[in-house]
Amino acid sequence: MTTSTTGSQLLASAAGLDAADPLAVLRERFVPGDGELIAYLDGNSLGRPLIATREHLFRFVDDVWAPRLIRGWDEGWMDSPLTLGDALGALTLGAAAGQTVVADSTTVMLYKLCRAAVCARPGRRQIVLDTENFPTDRYVLEGIAAETGTQLVWIEPDPLEGVTADEVAAVVGPDTALVVLSHVAFKSGFLADTPAITRIAHAAGALVLWDLCHSAGVVPVELDAWDVDLAVGCTYKYLNGGPGAPAFGYVASRLQGELRQPVQGWMGHAEPFTMGPGYAPATGMRRFISGTPPVVGMLAMRDMLDLIGEAGLDAVRAKSSALTAYVIDLADELLTPFGVEIATPREAARRGGHVMLTHPSFRELIPALWERGVIPDFRPPQGMRVGLSPLSTSFGEVAAGLALVARLLEERGQGRLISVR
Ligand SMILES: Cc1ncc(COP(=O)(O)O)c(C=O)c1O
Ligand SMILES: Nc1ccccc1C(=O)C[C@H](N)C(=O)O
């Protein structure tokens, strides 16, 4: 099979799309990949580092850590979970100050906030969740259910889509303590109707927690306007915090006083340095901190927040939608003839920043792509997830990446071995 005329035209259109892209110039702010990298299609798992971050990390050692030593804690480090949380909240989450904190991993923050929420709704014995959510969300809630004697109520959404408002309305009721869902589904990329689902959960008297891992920094979020109770997310994807960068947590101001999180460490105490006999939670978001802030882990995301601020989140979303549309168009032309299916909503307003393609051979094909410098990721059972980071991904990269997928599928179809370079 050879590439159709339309397929060739689509591939060739990448240069024009890049030339017309108002954000293209910002790609120069990122540290280039090694010479072998052709297409990085996994920024929704780990974002690429900024040149500013290289300098920032280096300067931190010489200008801050070495000279200031322990005095640094009084000179901003102690407050960094809250100051960075406020910046992140204002720029990407639609959250007014005093409701966002940067700490822990997503898993730990999720545990703390969900456990606090379930305990804040005594007498309600159910947690609503869905079978397509990220494993850590499902596992953490299994644990909380066992600890608290709560029952899990599973929604089974269409895996090509995601959880709908009707599906939530059908299961919430007077026994629901908490609803936990992802804003953007980690596999299908489906974008949930967060305001409608939040209203439905509230009408039943339940609290809602939104996992924003796949939306923070790429899909505009309005936590305050949508009346969201709780949210968590990671910062190493579109926020480029770097491998293992800490998570963020959001708790609406109106709930902070009534929630009591379970990991009662000294850093969430009202007076940590009094070192007194018993735990007394701090007021405000500080009570959701447990231990020492990961100061070094918070440096890189500040650079990315600056860049998102410079670009504007709406422009980031616009390019993200154009990139995902381009992937879908290319897949239609180049990959569906080989039996590849598109497992992401086709309407841009109903998807986030990545596209899921499925094919029985992707498990074996993706290592061969990686060896040739094209890096998407594999998600079982047969998904190739194409992640697009609007500030660092070009249309040309996408074209080169998907052209190689088509070529390897063709070679496979001809019974030729997928040879390693
Ligand atoms: C939706 C979602 N939740 C949670 C996580 C992960 O949590 P953690 O940062 O604790 O590994 C991820 C990705 O790793 C994710 O995609
Ligand atoms: N943190 C990681 C560490 C290692 C490998 C992948 C991840 C991811 O983030 C995966 C991502 N959350 C996903 O949606 O699949």
mmCIF file of all heavy atoms in Angstrom, residues 81-90 95-101 224 249-257 283-288:
data_model
loop_
_atom_site.group_PDB
_atom_site.id
_atom_site.type_symbol
_atom_site.label_atom_id
_atom_site.label_comp_id
_atom_site.label_asym_id
_atom_site.label_seq_id
_atom_site.Cartn_x
_atom_site.Cartn_y
_atom_site.Cartn_z
ATOM 1 N N PRO A 81 5.065 25.886 48.880
ATOM 2 C CA PRO A 81 3.908 25.089 48.423
ATOM 3 C C PRO A 81 2.676 25.963 48.182
ATOM 4 O O PRO A 81 1.866 25.680 47.295
ATOM 5 C CB PRO A 81 3.654 24.125 49.586
ATOM 6 C CG PRO A 81 4.954 24.052 50.320
ATOM 7 C CD PRO A 81 5.581 25.409 50.182
ATOM 8 N N LEU A 82 2.573 27.033 48.978
ATOM 9 C CA LEU A 82 1.381 27.888 48.873
ATOM 10 C C LEU A 82 1.567 28.968 47.807
ATOM 11 O O LEU A 82 0.638 29.258 47.040
ATOM 12 C CB LEU A 82 1.085 28.542 50.238
ATOM 13 C CG LEU A 82 0.952 27.523 51.380
ATOM 14 C CD1 LEU A 82 0.909 28.220 52.738
ATOM 15 C CD2 LEU A 82 -0.311 26.683 51.211
ATOM 16 N N THR A 83 2.764 29.550 47.734
ATOM 17 C CA THR A 83 2.961 30.612 46.732
ATOM 18 C C THR A 83 2.950 30.025 45.316
ATOM 19 O O THR A 83 2.325 30.578 44.410
ATOM 20 C CB THR A 83 4.275 31.391 46.981
ATOM 21 O OG1 THR A 83 5.348 30.458 47.110
ATOM 22 C CG2 THR A 83 4.210 32.213 48.246
ATOM 23 N N LEU A 84 3.606 28.873 45.161
ATOM 24 C CA LEU A 84 3.590 28.230 43.836
ATOM 25 C C LEU A 84 2.181 27.728 43.524
ATOM 26 O O LEU A 84 1.699 27.837 42.394
ATOM 27 C CB LEU A 84 4.607 27.078 43.799
ATOM 28 C CG LEU A 84 4.760 26.384 42.457
ATOM 29 C CD1 LEU A 84 5.136 27.352 41.347
ATOM 30 C CD2 LEU A 84 5.796 25.258 42.535
ATOM 31 N N GLY A 85 1.513 27.200 44.548
ATOM 32 C CA GLY A 85 0.124 26.741 44.363
ATOM 33 C C GLY A 85 -0.764 27.887 43.890
ATOM 34 O O GLY A 85 -1.565 27.725 42.964
ATOM 35 N N ASP A 86 -0.610 29.039 44.487
ATOM 36 C CA ASP A 86 -1.426 30.195 44.067
ATOM 37 C C ASP A 86 -1.143 30.569 42.611
ATOM 38 O O ASP A 86 -2.067 30.871 41.853
ATOM 39 C CB ASP A 86 -1.149 31.405 44.965
ATOM 40 C CG ASP A 86 -1.843 31.287 46.318
ATOM 41 O OD1 ASP A 86 -2.703 30.394 46.464
ATOM 42 O OD2 ASP A 86 -1.530 32.097 47.222
ATOM 43 N N ALA A 87 0.140 30.558 42.232
ATOM 44 C CA ALA A 87 0.507 30.928 40.855
ATOM 45 C C ALA A 87 -0.078 29.923 39.864
ATOM 46 O O ALA A 87 -0.673 30.297 38.846
ATOM 47 C CB ALA A 87 2.026 30.993 40.719
ATOM 48 N N LEU A 88 0.073 28.650 40.200
ATOM 49 C CA LEU A 88 -0.448 27.588 39.334
ATOM 50 C C LEU A 88 -1.980 27.684 39.242
ATOM 51 O O LEU A 88 -2.576 27.576 38.167
ATOM 52 C CB LEU A 88 -0.031 26.257 39.964
ATOM 53 C CG LEU A 88 -0.031 24.975 39.186
ATOM 54 C CD1 LEU A 88 0.899 23.991 39.889
ATOM 55 C CD2 LEU A 88 -1.390 24.362 39.077
ATOM 56 N N GLY A 89 -2.605 27.907 40.401
ATOM 57 C CA GLY A 89 -4.069 28.000 40.449
ATOM 58 C C GLY A 89 -4.591 29.155 39.611
ATOM 59 O O GLY A 89 -5.560 29.009 38.860
ATOM 60 N N ALA A 90 -3.923 30.311 39.726
ATOM 61 C CA ALA A 90 -4.403 31.499 39.001
ATOM 62 C C ALA A 90 -4.217 31.320 37.494
ATOM 63 O O ALA A 90 -5.094 31.652 36.704
ATOM 64 C CB ALA A 90 -3.639 32.730 39.481
ATOM 65 N N ALA A 95 -8.410 29.228 39.875
ATOM 66 C CA ALA A 95 -8.545 29.127 41.332
ATOM 67 C C ALA A 95 -8.017 30.402 41.986
ATOM 68 O O ALA A 95 -6.857 30.760 41.786
ATOM 69 C CB ALA A 95 -7.764 27.921 41.844
ATOM 70 N N ALA A 96 -8.859 31.051 42.777
ATOM 71 C CA ALA A 96 -8.391 32.235 43.522
ATOM 72 C C ALA A 96 -7.360 31.790 44.557
ATOM 73 O O ALA A 96 -7.290 30.616 44.918
ATOM 74 C CB ALA A 96 -9.572 32.918 44.199
ATOM 75 N N ALA A 97 -6.570 32.732 45.028
ATOM 76 C CA ALA A 97 -5.482 32.428 45.972
ATOM 77 C C ALA A 97 -6.011 31.716 47.225
ATOM 78 O O ALA A 97 -7.163 31.869 47.601
ATOM 79 C CB ALA A 97 -4.776 33.720 46.355
ATOM 80 N N GLY A 98 -5.102 30.929 47.823
ATOM 81 C CA GLY A 98 -5.418 30.290 49.096
ATOM 82 C C GLY A 98 -6.158 28.968 48.963
ATOM 83 O O GLY A 98 -6.719 28.463 49.935
ATOM 84 N N GLN A 99 -6.179 28.376 47.766
ATOM 85 C CA GLN A 99 -6.915 27.110 47.601
ATOM 86 C C GLN A 99 -6.087 26.002 46.948
ATOM 87 O O GLN A 99 -6.564 24.889 46.816
ATOM 88 C CB GLN A 99 -8.160 27.343 46.741
ATOM 89 C CG GLN A 99 -9.091 28.409 47.335
ATOM 90 C CD GLN A 99 -10.298 28.661 46.446
ATOM 91 O OE1 GLN A 99 -11.382 28.188 46.724
ATOM 92 N NE2 GLN A 99 -10.088 29.379 45.359
ATOM 93 N N THR A 100 -4.861 26.335 46.543
ATOM 94 C CA THR A 100 -4.040 25.338 45.833
ATOM 95 C C THR A 100 -2.710 25.179 46.562
ATOM 96 O O THR A 100 -2.111 26.175 46.985
ATOM 97 C CB THR A 100 -3.787 25.801 44.374
ATOM 98 O OG1 THR A 100 -5.025 26.189 43.787
ATOM 99 C CG2 THR A 100 -3.170 24.688 43.536
ATOM 100 N N VAL A 101 -2.273 23.948 46.682
ATOM 101 C CA VAL A 101 -0.995 23.679 47.347
ATOM 102 C C VAL A 101 -0.185 22.732 46.464
ATOM 103 O O VAL A 101 -0.760 21.926 45.736
ATOM 104 C CB VAL A 101 -1.274 23.073 48.751
ATOM 105 C CG1 VAL A 101 -1.775 21.635 48.654
ATOM 106 C CG2 VAL A 101 -0.084 23.143 49.651
ATOM 107 N N ASP A 224 -13.065 27.478 40.412
ATOM 108 C CA ASP A 224 -13.957 28.311 41.243
ATOM 109 C C ASP A 224 -15.305 28.500 40.549
ATOM 110 O O ASP A 224 -16.367 28.327 41.164
ATOM 111 C CB ASP A 224 -13.323 29.687 41.512
ATOM 112 C CG ASP A 224 -12.116 29.587 42.449
ATOM 113 O OD1 ASP A 224 -11.902 28.503 43.042
ATOM 114 O OD2 ASP A 224 -11.382 30.592 42.590
ATOM 115 N N GLY A 249 -2.751 20.108 44.867
ATOM 116 C CA GLY A 249 -4.079 19.790 45.385
ATOM 117 C C GLY A 249 -4.863 21.079 45.518
ATOM 118 O O GLY A 249 -4.278 22.132 45.810
ATOM 119 N N TYR A 250 -6.167 21.007 45.266
ATOM 120 C CA TYR A 250 -7.052 22.172 45.385
ATOM 121 C C TYR A 250 -8.180 21.804 46.346
ATOM 122 O O TYR A 250 -8.780 20.727 46.218
ATOM 123 C CB TYR A 250 -7.630 22.515 44.009
ATOM 124 C CG TYR A 250 -8.829 23.451 44.014
ATOM 125 C CD1 TYR A 250 -8.672 24.835 43.848
ATOM 126 C CD2 TYR A 250 -10.138 22.949 44.151
ATOM 127 C CE1 TYR A 250 -9.784 25.684 43.830
ATOM 128 C CE2 TYR A 250 -11.240 23.794 44.129
ATOM 129 C CZ TYR A 250 -11.063 25.160 43.971
ATOM 130 O OH TYR A 250 -12.154 26.001 43.941
ATOM 131 N N VAL A 251 -8.437 22.681 47.295
ATOM 132 C CA VAL A 251 -9.594 22.518 48.189
ATOM 133 C C VAL A 251 -10.318 23.855 48.225
ATOM 134 O O VAL A 251 -9.717 24.889 48.572
ATOM 135 C CB VAL A 251 -9.156 22.121 49.625
ATOM 136 C CG1 VAL A 251 -10.381 21.933 50.523
ATOM 137 C CG2 VAL A 251 -8.306 20.860 49.616
ATOM 138 N N ALA A 252 -11.590 23.865 47.842
ATOM 139 C CA ALA A 252 -12.352 25.121 47.835
ATOM 140 C C ALA A 252 -12.338 25.732 49.233
ATOM 141 O O ALA A 252 -12.471 25.018 50.231
ATOM 142 C CB ALA A 252 -13.786 24.854 47.390
ATOM 143 N N SER A 253 -12.205 27.049 49.300
ATOM 144 C CA SER A 253 -12.105 27.740 50.605
ATOM 145 C C SER A 253 -13.220 27.326 51.550
ATOM 146 O O SER A 253 -12.990 27.096 52.732
ATOM 147 C CB SER A 253 -12.236 29.260 50.432
ATOM 148 O OG SER A 253 -11.305 29.712 49.540
ATOM 149 N N ARG A 254 -14.443 27.208 50.995
ATOM 150 C CA ARG A 254 -15.596 26.932 51.859
ATOM 151 C C ARG A 254 -15.492 25.594 52.582
ATOM 152 O O ARG A 254 -16.184 25.356 53.560
ATOM 153 C CB ARG A 254 -16.896 27.000 51.029
ATOM 154 C CG ARG A 254 -16.971 25.973 49.938
ATOM 155 C CD ARG A 254 -18.120 26.230 48.955
ATOM 156 N NE ARG A 254 -17.725 25.797 47.627
ATOM 157 C CZ ARG A 254 -17.630 24.534 47.241
ATOM 158 N NH1 ARG A 254 -17.958 23.568 48.076
ATOM 159 N NH2 ARG A 254 -17.230 24.216 46.030
ATOM 160 N N LEU A 255 -14.608 24.682 52.115
ATOM 161 C CA LEU A 255 -14.506 23.347 52.725
ATOM 162 C C LEU A 255 -13.291 23.181 53.622
ATOM 163 O O LEU A 255 -13.197 22.218 54.374
ATOM 164 C CB LEU A 255 -14.398 22.289 51.613
ATOM 165 C CG LEU A 255 -15.637 22.033 50.789
ATOM 166 C CD1 LEU A 255 -15.274 21.153 49.598
ATOM 167 C CD2 LEU A 255 -16.707 21.354 51.636
ATOM 168 N N GLN A 256 -12.340 24.100 53.516
ATOM 169 C CA GLN A 256 -11.039 23.863 54.173
ATOM 170 C C GLN A 256 -11.169 23.636 55.676
ATOM 171 O O GLN A 256 -10.504 22.780 56.241
ATOM 172 C CB GLN A 256 -10.083 25.016 53.873
ATOM 173 C CG GLN A 256 -9.635 25.017 52.419
ATOM 174 C CD GLN A 256 -8.857 26.251 52.018
ATOM 175 O OE1 GLN A 256 -8.460 27.049 52.873
ATOM 176 N NE2 GLN A 256 -8.661 26.439 50.718
ATOM 177 N N GLY A 257 -12.054 24.393 56.328
ATOM 178 C CA GLY A 257 -12.199 24.271 57.781
ATOM 179 C C GLY A 257 -12.766 22.929 58.205
ATOM 180 O O GLY A 257 -12.432 22.404 59.256
ATOM 181 N N THR A 283 -4.626 26.593 59.771
ATOM 182 C CA THR A 283 -5.799 27.043 59.026
ATOM 183 C C THR A 283 -5.418 27.109 57.541
ATOM 184 O O THR A 283 -4.241 27.141 57.186
ATOM 185 C CB THR A 283 -6.254 28.442 59.501
ATOM 186 O OG1 THR A 283 -5.125 29.300 59.444
ATOM 187 C CG2 THR A 283 -6.826 28.392 60.901
ATOM 188 N N GLY A 284 -6.438 27.160 56.680
ATOM 189 C CA GLY A 284 -6.201 27.314 55.241
ATOM 190 C C GLY A 284 -5.528 26.106 54.620
ATOM 191 O O GLY A 284 -5.542 25.005 55.171
ATOM 192 N N MET A 285 -4.913 26.321 53.468
ATOM 193 C CA MET A 285 -4.338 25.196 52.709
ATOM 194 C C MET A 285 -3.142 24.556 53.382
ATOM 195 O O MET A 285 -2.776 23.437 53.065
ATOM 196 C CB MET A 285 -3.929 25.655 51.300
ATOM 197 C CG MET A 285 -5.053 25.733 50.296
ATOM 198 S SD MET A 285 -6.146 24.284 50.279
ATOM 199 C CE MET A 285 -5.205 23.112 49.319
ATOM 200 N N ARG A 286 -2.509 25.256 54.295
ATOM 201 C CA ARG A 286 -1.327 24.667 54.930
ATOM 202 C C ARG A 286 -1.675 23.349 55.624
ATOM 203 O O ARG A 286 -0.826 22.452 55.724
ATOM 204 C CB ARG A 286 -0.703 25.665 55.915
ATOM 205 C CG ARG A 286 0.654 25.210 56.407
ATOM 206 C CD ARG A 286 1.328 26.220 57.295
ATOM 207 N NE ARG A 286 1.918 27.337 56.586
ATOM 208 C CZ ARG A 286 3.030 27.275 55.850
ATOM 209 N NH1 ARG A 286 3.661 26.133 55.710
ATOM 210 N NH2 ARG A 286 3.497 28.345 55.255
ATOM 211 N N ARG A 287 -2.906 23.174 56.077
ATOM 212 C CA ARG A 287 -3.262 21.932 56.771
ATOM 213 C C ARG A 287 -3.201 20.696 55.854
ATOM 214 O O ARG A 287 -3.242 19.576 56.331
ATOM 215 C CB ARG A 287 -4.642 22.036 57.413
ATOM 216 C CG ARG A 287 -5.782 22.120 56.415
ATOM 217 C CD ARG A 287 -7.145 22.013 57.080
ATOM 218 N NE ARG A 287 -7.260 22.928 58.202
ATOM 219 C CZ ARG A 287 -8.194 22.840 59.143
ATOM 220 N NH1 ARG A 287 -9.111 21.889 59.078
ATOM 221 N NH2 ARG A 287 -8.251 23.716 60.131
ATOM 222 N N PHE A 288 -3.147 20.937 54.547
ATOM 223 C CA PHE A 288 -3.094 19.791 53.616
ATOM 224 C C PHE A 288 -1.660 19.384 53.282
ATOM 225 O O PHE A 288 -1.423 18.461 52.520
ATOM 226 C CB PHE A 288 -3.924 20.099 52.364
ATOM 227 C CG PHE A 288 -5.378 20.312 52.715
ATOM 228 C CD1 PHE A 288 -5.907 21.588 52.860
ATOM 229 C CD2 PHE A 288 -6.191 19.224 52.992
ATOM 230 C CE1 PHE A 288 -7.218 21.782 53.239
ATOM 231 C CE2 PHE A 288 -7.519 19.403 53.378
ATOM 232 C CZ PHE A 288 -8.030 20.686 53.503
#
